[in-house]
Amino acid sequence: MKLYIETLGCAMNMRDSEHMIAELKTKEGYTLTEDAKEADLILINTCSVREKPERKLFSEIGQFALIKKPHAKIGICGCTASHMGEEIIKKAPSVNFVLGARNISKISEVIHRDKAVEVGVDYDDSTYVFDTAGNIGIKALLNISIGCDKRCAYCIVPHTRGKEISIPLDLILSEAEKLAQNGVKELMLLGQNVNNYGVRFSSNHKMINFAGLLREISKIEGIKRIRFTSPHPLHMDDEFLEEFASNPKICKCIHMPLQSGSSKILKSMRRGYTKEWYLNRVAKLKSLVPHVGIGTDIIVAFPGESEEDFAHTMDVLESVQFDTMYSFIYSPRPHTESYQWGKESIVSKEVASKRLAILQDKHKTILRDKAKKEIGHLHEVLIENIKHGEDSFSEGRSDTGKLIKIPQEVLKIGDIVNVQISQNEGGSLIGRCIK
Ligand code: SAH
Ligand code: SF4
Ligand code: F3S
């Protein structure tokens, strides 16, 4: 039996797909295929955070229905499954089942129930122990919480993933131990608000916060590096920032989703922080870890965003000098607060595209200037990729999140080495090992 799976959306969806693959391999005997035509089961793990990919879903289902083997099943999983539920089967009768993002532990059951729709967001699989499918590399994703308790005015995620529940500490630790025993060196901890860890468990649990969890995970010997995504700027208290700075296993790279630089817009987005708080946290972070890599997400043209509000976003961009930025034009989503707002607050498409272009251009300039200053800098790199032969090289990421190539040196995957940057070729960093 062959499984074809397509994964859209964020790292949580990637992890959910890994879990479904593992369950289907060990419990149902499936093996993976990259060719949908030869699959017995086709899964699309969907994302609904913006409208466009969601619109494309139905044409994609139609394509799969045309090329699939006659008896092959199609299952729609993930966030769009959660929020559209049965409607998916009504619109696309070739779909055999719909499995919401909060229900993926039921995968080996729903594949046997034709037209099954399992999308309840009250379902709690925070204590479910998923199977592992083997073939683990040196990096692994690990969930620490499910759902999201926030109500950001633009965001559909609380509707698709339900309320926030932390995964019990002993489960996280045993999973991390297992991964370490299988050769994993770097963990990426996942949750919609990782630094809100410990706020609610599904049963009695000792008090612990995110800083405490980080301390516990870093005791696992085989785990050499810890990353996490996404932390929320509101919960970046001093204890968290100090743990981030002082714990040697925590990679010095952090995602700080800004969304907007305008305190007025942040308020209508219900983000819970102001421009000043955000800049204050960045300043504290940089004072503790001067070489820290900072990433962000920005939404332009949120309803009511004026030129002045946008100028505040540009101001933060300039002042923080982000290392990575994901930027989006606001996309109205059903079941969200801003979806109901009147037409008068909507920013025109032309203005939105113009603002996005200005933002992205500025970010590119910042990156170019930053890369120039990299020559001579030292980085600790985890080797992830090797090429043998004439143009041999080793490649990996620094703890600050930069991709660095080391020509003519063949190291081992999993090695952690100190590298000094010698060249910057069109924005890609090249370095040599320093003993
Ligand atoms: N939990 C994370 C975000 C998850 S969604 C956080 O709080 O930062 C990932 C990103 O998609 C968000 O950071 C936001 O920038 C973007 N996004 C979410 N809803 C959106 C919408 N309606 N329109 C445009 N972008 C959106
Ligand atoms: Fe969405 Fe806000 Fe929750 Fe992030 S914190 S998932 S943006 S509601
Ligand atoms: Fe992730 Fe998209 Fe759902 S960003 S949480 S898969 S809506």
Side-chain angles (χ1 to χ4, degrees):
M1 299 282 268
K2 295 237 158 84
L3 163 68
Y4 175 89
I5 183 163
E6 181 181 320
T7 306
L8 307 161
C10 64
M12 302 208 86
N13 254 21
M14 276 168 65
R15 183 63 178 151
D16 288 348
S17 286
E18 287 179 3
H19 279 151
M20 290 193 287
I21 294 167
E23 294 281 302
L24 290 170
K25 272 189 177 174
T26 54
K27 297 198 171 134
E28 304 289 328
Y30 278 90
T31 54
L32 277 177
T33 173
E34 301 210 332
D35 182 2
K37 290 200 266 321
E38 64 162 30
D40 302 282
L41 175 60
I42 296 173
L43 295 180
I44 311 180
N45 196 7
T46 59
C47 170
S48 51
V49 83
R50 280 167 292 275
E51 193 193 355
K52 214 167 157 193
E54 201 180 276
R55 247 192 288 133
K56 286 205 299 211
L57 176 65
F58 289 94
S59 60
E60 230 191 333
I61 296 173
Q63 307 246 304
F64 283 134
L66 280 179
I67 60 159
K68 77 178 180 75
K69 291 204 288 200
H71 70 274
K73 290 180 180 171
I74 300 180
I76 306 303
C77 316
C79 285
T80 309
S82 300
H83 103 90
M84 289 186 74
E86 227 183 323
E87 209 185 320
I88 295 180
I89 297 185
K90 282 196 187 131
K91 274 190 164 174
S94 56
V95 170
N96 295 86
F97 63 87
V98 177
L99 186 66
R102 187 70 174 235
N103 299 260
I104 52 140
S105 59
K106 298 177 187 164
I107 182 69
S108 43
E109 178 209 326
V110 292
I111 56 167
H112 300 295
R113 280 202 284 130
D114 200 35
K115 308 296 172 196
V117 177
E118 289 285 346
V119 294
V121 288
D122 294 332
Y123 185 68
D124 174 12
D125 58 8
S126 66
T127 54
Y128 185 85
V129 180
F130 285 93
D131 278 309
T132 31
N135 298 335
I136 305 168
I138 52 163
K139 302 205 293 187
L141 304 171
L142 181 59
N143 286 349
I144 65 161
S145 60
I146 59 173
C148 178
D149 270 359
K150 297 273 186 281
R151 286 284 175 271
C152 299
Y154 51 82
C155 183
I156 198 170
V157 174
H159 175 75
T160 64
R161 291 195 178 253
K163 67 177 184 191
E164 186 173 324
I165 301 183
S166 301
I167 293 173
L169 176 66
D170 56 348
L171 266 186
I172 297 176
L173 293 180
S174 66
E175 190 75 6
E177 294 268 10
K178 212 164 31 178
L179 290 166
Q181 278 159 19
N182 280 293
V184 168
K185 297 203 167 169
E186 184 179 298
L187 280 183
M188 171 68 97
L189 310 179
L190 296 180
Q192 291 300 349
N193 286 300
V194 283
N195 49 343
N196 204 28
Y197 181 78
V199 161
R200 184 191 300 118
F201 292 92
S202 57
S203 55
N204 278 345
H205 193 285
K206 70 168 188 178
M207 290 264 283
I208 181 162
N209 62 10
F210 186 56
L213 174 70
L214 289 171
R215 280 190 286 273
E216 291 297 323
I217 296 178
S218 44
K219 287 182 194 157
I220 301 173
E221 212 187 307
I223 300 299
K224 305 291 182 209
R225 287 176 147 196
I226 303 171
R227 299 185 191 273
F228 47 81
T229 197
S230 293
H232 196 294
L234 176 65
H235 306 296
M236 293 196 176
D237 55 19
D238 286 354
E239 185 194 357
F240 163 69
L241 293 183
E242 278 152 20
E243 181 63 32
F244 176 85
S246 63
N247 185 327
K249 288 195 177 177
I250 299 179
C251 289
K252 301 302 178 252
C253 169
I254 192 165
H255 191 63
M256 287 183 71
L258 169 69
Q259 313 302 2
S260 168
S262 152
S263 295
K264 182 194 102 194
I265 293 293
L266 286 168
K267 189 160 184 225
S268 58
M269 284 178 163
R270 293 192 184 278
R271 288 292 288 175
Y273 53 86
T274 57
K275 176 186 182 186
E276 289 67 34
W277 167 259
Y278 188 93
L279 290 176
N280 169 286
R281 295 295 84 188
V282 171
K284 169 101 190 174
L285 193 60
K286 286 187 173 174
S287 75
L288 294 170
V289 189
H291 66 291
V292 64
I294 305 181
T296 201
D297 288 351
I298 291 175
I299 298 175
V300 298
F302 185 70
E305 186 187 78
S306 65
E307 283 301 327
E308 194 190 333
D309 295 318
F310 179 63
H312 282 293
T313 301
M314 292 299 288
D315 185 44
V316 177
L317 194 75
E318 187 104 30
S319 126
V320 179
Q321 306 264 305
F322 295 107
D323 297 273
T324 52
M325 176 183 83
Y326 298 97
S327 48
F328 318 95
I329 291 178
Y330 167 71
S331 168
R333 306 303 295 126
H335 312 286
T336 63
E337 193 185 327
S338 52
Y339 192 66
Q340 335 284 335
W341 294 349
K343 281 206 168 68
E344 63 285 354
S345 62
I346 289 175
V347 178
S348 75
K349 274 194 182 140
E350 295 69 45
V351 171
S353 307
K354 208 177 85 203
R355 286 184 191 163
L356 187 69
I358 294 172
L359 185 83
Q360 292 181 340
D361 276 354
K362 182 76 204 170
H363 178 62
K364 272 190 214 141
T365 313
I366 290 173
L367 285 189
R368 234 174 284 131
D369 292 348
K370 285 188 92 158
K372 275 184 214 147
K373 292 181 200 146
E374 273 294 329
I375 309 286
H377 278 197
L378 283 176
H379 291 281
E380 190 200 88
V381 176
L382 172 66
I383 302 301
E384 296 170 22
N385 183 23
I386 306 272
K387 186 172 171 274
H388 295 274
E390 220 172 283
D391 303 323
S392 62
F393 65 80
S394 304
E395 193 175 47
R397 268 193 199 275
S398 70
D399 71 325
T400 51
K402 291 182 169 36
L403 189 65
I404 298 173
K405 195 165 170 176
I406 311 157
Q408 270 108 51
E409 291 195 53
V410 176
L411 301 155
K412 274 205 314 295
I413 288 187
D415 280 352
I416 295 177
V417 288
N418 290 319
V419 176
Q420 185 171 39
I421 303 300
S422 51
Q423 276 177 57
N424 155 35
E425 267 180 15
S428 359
L429 298 176
I430 294 178
R432 53 174 175 267
C433 285
I434 301 291
K435 297 287 173 290

